[in-house]
Amino acid sequence: MIDGLTTNGILLMHPPNGSFSYNGENQQPPMWREVSVGGGIFSVRETRSAPQKGVQVANVSNVLQDGTLIDLCGATLLWRSAEGLAKSPTKQYLEELIEKLNAARPVCPVGLNTLVIPRKSVLNNDRQQPYVYLNCGHVQGLHDWGQETHSSMRTCPMCLKESSNVVKLCMGIEPSFYVDTKDTGPYCFNPCGHMATENTVKYWSRIGIPLGTNGFESFCPFCATQLEGHPGYVKLIFN
């Protein structure tokens, strides 16, 4: 029998403990493995195109599971089973979460105008578009209060913390990226501002996606923006 590895490798990562879910801070992040042409499982090479293969790994299957990630030299795919998708939130459910937030009529503490969580990435009315101060999580409208003249730093009028990053909020609507349907209060990824459930943002912030020849970084699954800071997300605080 002759086997081999592709030039830049086909990588596979099964979900932790075989379950596409978040089970707490003590949950160990899963490991990436490389799949050979014949279906063998190996440890990842030192770099993607290194001539020396990794160590063959026993007791790890090449069969896809619900939540398995597949990396094809820079293109990372998420595989969901029919059973897993049946337990995932529907688009209608996610829109109901948005309606619940909007029904509470969040208000900008400076402009005193009602904010509206958008279903799409951009609202036509900037006055209603909510923004988040990523250092503290306070949600507000667009205003100039606390804006420093010669820098991008802003002071949050609610807690007076300085923040260099204030971004628009938008709900992540793709249901297949959600690990649960628990309405545990809104969170968003840092720095893109995509909102999701608590367990969903905590799950993806702990998953390292292959980057370059030998790096791994966490990304927002909705827009593929590399996460910044620790832990890579923020809990949202509405007024």
Side-chain angles (χ1 to χ4, degrees):
M1 293 293 291
I2 297 176
D3 198 2
L5 304 174
T6 61
T7 301
N8 291 303
I10 298 174
L11 305 187
L12 205 67
M13 188 183 76
H14 294 309
N17 302 322
S19 175
F20 185 53
S21 61
Y22 178 75
N23 296 318
E25 297 295 333
N26 294 326
Q27 176 176 289
Q28 293 297 318
M31 298 183 64
W32 284 95
R33 307 293 188 185
E34 185 168 5
V35 184
S36 70
V37 175
I41 302 295
F42 294 81
S43 62
V44 176
R45 285 177 274 178
E46 185 175 346
T47 62
R48 293 298 290 259
S49 58
Q52 181 63 41
K53 71 178 186 296
V55 178
Q56 189 159 12
V57 180
N59 302 321
V60 176
S61 173
N62 58 20
V63 178
L64 300 180
Q65 305 172 18
D66 183 47
T68 293
L69 289 172
I70 310 157
D71 186 81
L72 307 175
C73 194
T76 305
L77 313 176
L78 170 66
W79 192 85
R80 298 299 310 273
S81 67
E83 295 80 5
L85 286 175
K87 299 175 183 177
S88 298
T90 62
K91 183 178 180 181
Q92 179 182 357
Y93 174 80
L94 297 177
E95 290 179 344
E96 288 174 356
L97 292 182
I98 299 175
E99 291 175 1
K100 180 180 178 181
L101 285 171
N102 288 335
R105 299 182 65 82
V107 174
C108 174
V110 176
L112 301 180
N113 53 295
T114 302
L115 304 176
V116 178
I117 306 295
R119 287 179 172 79
K120 297 181 180 180
S121 59
V122 178
L123 268 180
N124 292 329
N125 187 356
D126 265 345
R127 180 173 169 78
Q128 291 184 305
Q129 170 67 53
Y131 288 74
V132 59
Y133 286 67
L134 290 173
N135 278 7
C136 59
H138 283 109
V139 179
Q140 303 169 39
L142 184 63
H143 56 75
D144 294 328
W145 194 97
Q147 172 73 60
E148 295 187 9
T149 305
H150 302 295
S151 75
S152 61
M153 296 297 294
R154 289 175 177 263
T155 299
C156 173
M158 297 297 293
C159 64
L160 302 182
K161 284 185 178 180
E162 287 192 335
S163 181
S164 60
N165 213 349
V166 179
V167 298
K168 291 182 179 181
L169 285 176
C170 180
M171 192 73 176
I173 292 295
E174 176 51 62
S176 62
F177 293 141
Y178 281 76
V179 301
D180 65 3
T181 57
K182 294 179 180 178
D183 182 9
T184 52
Y187 285 68
C188 80
F189 290 102
N190 179 1
C192 61
H194 271 108
M195 299 167 57
T197 60
E198 177 181 3
N199 285 344
T200 297
V201 297
K202 289 183 176 180
Y203 179 88
W204 288 106
S205 68
R206 293 169 60 84
I207 297 296
I209 304 296
L211 179 66
T213 60
N214 60 352
F216 297 88
E217 298 290 345
S218 297
F219 290 82
C220 169
F222 301 104
C223 64
T225 297
Q226 185 175 333
L227 302 186
E228 294 181 358
H230 179 78
Y233 59 85
V234 62
K235 183 176 183 179
L236 302 177
I237 305 171
F238 288 86
N239 183 34

